[in-house]
Amino acid sequence: MVSGTALIYDEEMTRYRLLWDYPVCSIEVPERLSVSYSELQIQGLVERCISVPVREATEEEILLAHSQDFLEAIKTTQNMDVEQLKAFASQFQDVYFHQNIYHCAKLALGATLQLVDAVMTKKVRNGIALVRPPGHHSQHSAANGFCIFNNVAIAALYAKKMFDLKRILIVDWDIHHGQGTQYFFEDDPSVLYFSWHRYENQEFWPNLPESDYSTVGKGKGAGFNVNVPWNKIGMQNSDYLSVFFHILLPMAYEFNPELVLISAGFDSAINDPEGKMCATPACFAHLTHLLMSLAEGKICAVLEGGYDLHSLSHCICHTVKAFLGDPVPHLLNISSPCDSALESIQNVRAVHQQHWAFLRSLPISMKHQNVNDDKKLEQFCNEEIHTSSPNYCPLPPKRTAVALLGEKIELPDRCLKINLDSVPSDEIWSFKDSTVEGQKDSLHLQKNLCSVMMKIFQKEVQNGLAAVPCLLEAIKAVLSFCTTCANSVSRILVLYLGDKDYPVSLEDDGNLLLIQMSTKKLKGRESKYHIPIFLPKEGNNVKGVLHALFSLILPVAYMYNPDLVVTALSCQSGVDKKILNQLTSLLQGLAEGQLLCLIHDPEVSFLEDTICSLLGDPILPVTDGVLQGEAIQEVEQQRQRLQEQWGILKTQVTRTE
Ligand SMILES: COCC(O)(O)CCCCCNCCCN
Ligand SMILES: [Zn+2]
């Protein structure tokens, strides 16, 4: 099983800087790399990564994207004096040169390609290249916006050529539009380019009409260019997550990339002078985590922008920790996106409706800019930036406790096997109201469950799995255990996949959020904290689970922010096992990864797959046209009904007046 996170950095790339007075370029300083690298060291992350050396890119590699004339011109900067460098720079926009920048640009590109090689040849699972000069603004024959060679665009062209890839996803979360990258792939359906960027209705740099949501790609590439403009500053975690849930993730799963490249600019984080946004560094751990179940985990993050050294270095650490499979931190106060973000989300979904199955059957209308748009509000971030930079991050706990009912499977040594005789009797809790039939089973069940949960709450493991004779009884046992002895757990999310009516009278006090996916219409009353999701069966296959996951379950779960997640799955549910594994993986973004999987009459293969998901191993992609028409209608109606109570579900501006 492929593991390991590459960290590619060389201090040679700090050896160029701005040599004259040029204010717009003054923020692009060498310390961006050195401070970030030292923070990685302070947090003990450098030694946990696999260090891959940089190399110089070859001319042939540069010419994959750039013209010979452009390359020859850049070469001449090596022997220029400051006045000549300044004159040379004046032919381009917002970019400076230095005698050593050509060398560094070859190293930045070489580092990026080393990362692609390491991931594609399975030396590592994922990784990050800390490079400068960045790349996403540079074009066939033009440097632009601090960029010389387009590192990520060339990485995509290189990966297609060297590894014969047919589908590559580029996620550009830098706060500037990577117009350079967009130009390279505008008519290319094999590269899905996604970018969000500060736009302010074309008032923000690079002030291009083609950066708006209406640019969707050309010819065969139509639908494979996705621009999400931020028309106001001050965007927060909720805005970013909403775009992932309601636009990027469904598209990415439908596209099913073989490789994910991240143009990882962190000027989209809080306190950045360019972005002026409010998303916290911890948010980037979640953005990374949410992408890691694609392409069997093959992800290459390449640094683009990021100019507040404190914010930048913490964002990079959060990204690396997510790559390493560490528990991702709670995100607080997730709620409805702001109206401006909703407007952008609505418009992006509307223009892409004809290109993507998950959108095609939805009633989406464009929201044209109301001309008297209220003036830009200088939104300030009210929440303090929680960068508790611990001196040394303790290594995360052993991953998974497994309690089986006698199934004979080979457990990886990263698992903690729970069996009856190993559970000290004092750990056995007699549940007040447990009514599990048959004393033997109930005792066995209770012992297994509470020992797994004890391990989770004592932080001996991160998550756990228990095979159970009856899902509903097991859920009740878990809930009663938590109320009895886990007072640190105040909110439990239960995701129950099954047709039985859940018996418990659901007092809506918010301690329990029950989401039940079922193939029959449940008569149980729907309430804020009891969400039945009807998923029609086609043959014996249940469709629409992934759509429900992105447009309902994950958004509500993030807003609920549970302390523990419990999934209760049955193998007979008719849900594609690969989809259940995706669900198990993605839900680990909640509750700092404290997840308990209850499985009814498990098949061995499904047990093994679920354990792999819990251990954070790469999981297989979902390939069968994941998002189905009819099922989408049901989920869509449910989303409409719930969006008033769960604002993160909104995808359109709901004008009250
Ligand atoms: C890949 O480059 C990373 C980057 O996107 O952050 C570069 C931004 C260039 C910003 C150019 N001047 C902006 C003036 C308006 N304040
Ligand atoms: Zn940027």
Side-chain angles (χ1 to χ4, degrees):
M1 176 274 300
V2 183
S3 69
T5 294
L7 172 59
I8 307 188
Y9 168 72
D10 189 300
E11 67 171 354
E12 177 60 21
M13 286 182 278
T14 65
R15 296 196 184 105
Y16 79 93
R17 58 186 172 75
L18 180 56
L19 297 173
W20 62 89
D21 181 33
Y22 189 179
V24 290
C25 291
S26 58
I27 52 175
E28 207 295 307
V29 296
E31 291 71 21
R32 295 178 57 234
L33 290 196
S34 47
V35 169
S36 300
Y37 190 73
S38 57
E39 184 62 30
L40 284 163
Q41 283 172 314
I42 291 167
Q43 295 201 22
L45 295 172
V46 171
E47 64 257 33
R48 291 177 60 200
C49 291
I50 295 167
S51 174
V52 172
V54 299
R55 68 170 169 85
E56 282 197 3
T58 65
E59 297 205 358
E60 186 189 5
E61 288 160 348
I62 296 167
L63 295 173
L64 284 172
H66 299 288
S67 67
Q68 186 76 47
D69 290 353
F70 176 67
L71 172 55
E72 295 311 319
I74 298 297
K75 280 183 191 171
T76 64
T77 58
Q78 298 175 89
N79 315 309
M80 288 183 177
D81 63 25
V82 175
E83 280 317 305
Q84 289 167 322
L85 289 169
K86 196 171 169 182
F88 185 83
S90 66
Q91 67 184 302
F92 302 115
Q93 191 192 54
D94 288 18
V95 57
Y96 68 87
F97 290 84
H98 180 284
Q99 296 88 342
N100 197 31
I101 199 168
Y102 170 57
H103 180 220
C104 293
K106 284 190 287 182
L107 289 176
L109 177 54
T112 304
L113 301 183
Q114 288 281 85
L115 178 55
V116 171
D117 281 342
V119 166
M120 289 309 298
T121 59
K122 301 189 186 306
K123 289 190 180 55
V124 297
R125 181 186 313 171
N126 53 38
I128 187 166
L130 297 183
V131 300
R132 66 186 279 274
H136 71 161
H137 298 300
S138 76
Q139 299 149 48
H140 183 61
S141 295
N144 177 283
F146 312 155
C147 305
I148 308 300
F149 302 137
N150 195 321
N151 304 316
V152 168
I154 296 171
L157 295 164
Y158 174 86
K160 284 171 70 172
K161 179 179 162 209
M162 305 301 281
F163 300 100
D164 191 28
L165 297 190
K166 305 284 186 253
R167 294 182 311 285
I168 296 173
L169 167 64
I170 298 176
V171 177
D172 187 335
W173 68 43
D174 185 287
I175 205 59
H176 298 90
H177 181 220
Q179 84 281 35
T181 310
Q182 169 170 298
Y183 298 151
F184 281 118
F185 301 112
E186 211 153 16
D187 56 357
D188 183 346
S190 71
V191 177
L192 170 55
Y193 177 65
F194 168 93
S195 171
W196 62 39
H197 33 270
R198 184 176 167 188
Y199 188 58
E200 291 173 299
N201 303 305
Q202 207 177 324
E203 281 178 29
F204 188 70
W205 188 89
N207 313 89
L208 300 168
E210 64 267 31
S211 300
D212 209 349
Y213 58 82
S214 42
T215 302
V216 298
K218 290 175 182 152
K220 296 191 307 305
F224 296 95
N225 191 87
V226 187
N227 286 333
V228 179
W230 299 124
N231 290 318
K232 292 244 185 329
I233 57 172
M235 293 299 169
Q236 307 197 13
N237 294 347
S238 301
D239 304 303
Y240 285 14
L241 286 176
S242 293
V243 166
F244 265 54
F245 295 141
H246 300 305
I247 296 174
L248 178 58
L249 290 175
M251 274 184 187
Y253 274 79
E254 196 169 320
F255 182 62
N256 185 25
E258 300 159 288
L259 173 65
V260 179
L261 303 175
I262 303 176
S263 263
F266 296 101
D267 42 14
S268 42
I270 192 168
N271 292 347
D272 188 276
E274 275 291 302
K276 293 195 183 344
M277 298 298 172
C278 295
T280 59
C283 186
F284 289 88
H286 288 267
L287 301 185
T288 305
H289 172 81
L290 289 166
L291 294 172
M292 283 171 65
S293 304
L294 291 160
E296 294 183 76
K298 295 195 293 296
I299 303 188
C300 304
V302 182
L303 182 65
E304 298 277 6
Y307 306 100
D308 175 273
L309 303 186
H310 180 80
S311 185
L312 169 65
S313 53
H314 285 272
C315 288
I316 289 172
C317 287
H318 276 290
T319 301
V320 170
K321 280 168 70 68
F323 272 154
L324 287 166
D326 288 4
V328 284
H330 283 287
L331 283 187
L332 310 178
N333 313 320
I334 298 300
S335 63
S336 167
C338 68
D339 273 358
S340 176
L342 275 176
E343 203 160 271
S344 294
I345 290 170
Q346 179 174 346
N347 287 331
V348 173
R349 284 161 59 95
V351 290
H352 279 277
Q353 183 156 39
Q354 56 182 301
H355 304 296
W356 296 93
F358 81 98
L359 291 169
R360 201 162 297 140
S361 58
L362 301 184
I364 303 174
S365 60
M366 287 283 283
K367 173 86 185 59
H368 292 291
Q369 217 64 28
N370 39 353
V371 283
N372 61 345
D373 202 3
D374 49 337
K375 77 174 185 52
K376 245 185 350 283
L377 294 179
E378 193 71 20
Q379 287 176 326
F380 289 104
C381 312
N382 43 22
E383 59 201 77
E384 242 315 287
I385 163 170
H386 308 287
T387 61
S388 55
S389 70
N391 288 334
Y392 190 87
C393 287
L395 288 180
K398 204 174 173 57
R399 295 279 307 213
T400 300
V402 178
L404 300 175
L405 280 176
E407 286 78 11
K408 292 281 167 281
I409 70 169
E410 198 51 41
L411 284 183
D413 67 358
R414 291 170 295 161
C415 285
L416 190 62
K417 179 152 179 52
I418 306 283
N419 47 46
L420 219 43
D421 45 28
S422 79
V423 178
S425 57
D426 64 349
E427 273 191 12
I428 301 303
W429 284 79
S430 60
F431 296 91
K432 290 190 296 296
D433 58 353
S434 160
T435 57
V436 181
E437 306 90 35
Q439 276 315 308
K440 177 180 163 310
D441 268 359
S442 88
L443 185 60
H444 196 288
L445 164 66
Q446 288 174 26
K447 285 182 175 179
N448 274 344
L449 279 184
C450 79
S451 54
V452 171
M453 282 189 282
M454 289 302 267
K455 302 280 180 241
I456 292 175
F457 296 137
Q458 288 161 348
K459 303 274 180 208
E460 234 183 281
V461 295
Q462 191 176 317
N463 51 43
L465 177 144
V468 294
C470 165
L471 284 176
L472 292 187
E473 295 311 330
I475 294 170
K476 284 174 69 176
V478 167
L479 295 180
S480 112
F481 175 89
C482 289
T483 34
T484 317
C485 72
N487 42 26
S488 65
V489 176
S490 60
R491 286 187 309 282
I492 302 172
L493 165 62
V494 173
L495 181 62
Y496 167 43
L497 178 58
D499 291 350
K500 290 203 184 95
D501 285 330
Y502 191 82
V504 109
S505 65
L506 280 151
E507 61 293 331
D508 273 5
D509 56 5
N511 292 335
L512 166 67
L513 168 59
L514 173 71
I515 300 179
Q516 179 171 356
M517 290 193 285
S518 163
T519 58
K520 70 181 180 56
K521 296 233 179 207
L522 295 160
K523 56 182 181 303
R525 63 187 175 82
E526 178 183 295
S527 69
K528 176 168 184 177
Y529 294 107
H530 179 205
I531 302 175
I533 300 174
F534 168 64
L535 292 170
K537 264 193 166 180
E538 286 168 25
N540 63 356
N541 281 345
V542 178
K543 296 289 183 186
V545 172
L546 265 193
H547 188 69
L549 186 60
F550 297 135
S551 52
L552 267 181
I553 298 168
L554 281 175
V556 167
Y558 266 88
M559 187 162 170
Y560 182 62
N561 189 26
D563 305 301
L564 174 72
V565 179
V566 180
T567 61
L569 308 172
S570 156
C571 288
Q572 268 49 5
S573 60
V575 179
D576 178 330
K577 302 285 177 289
K578 290 199 294 291
I579 289 183
L580 292 181
N581 289 328
Q582 290 289 338
L583 185 147
T584 303
S585 275
L586 288 163
L587 284 173
Q588 290 177 58
L590 283 313
E592 293 186 323
Q594 292 201 141
L595 168 61
L596 171 61
C597 292
L598 307 174
I599 301 185
H600 177 51
D601 64 22
E603 295 150 15
V604 169
S605 67
F606 181 54
L607 269 184
E608 285 162 353
D609 290 351
T610 306
I611 288 170
C612 283
S613 299
L614 289 169
L615 288 168
D617 294 348
I619 55 173
L620 292 175
V622 186
T623 52
D624 63 348
V626 297
L627 302 146
Q628 307 296 324
E630 190 228 339
I632 288 180
Q633 294 302 344
E634 285 295 335
V635 172
E636 185 55 24
Q637 283 152 26
Q638 189 106 31
R639 192 188 59 73
Q640 303 268 0
R641 277 202 305 278
L642 289 162
Q643 64 182 352
E644 287 321 310
Q645 292 169 307
W646 299 93
I648 186 87
L649 294 174
K650 288 181 184 168
T651 58
Q652 323 221 24
V653 181
T654 47
R655 279 272 178 252
T656 41
E657 69 273 12

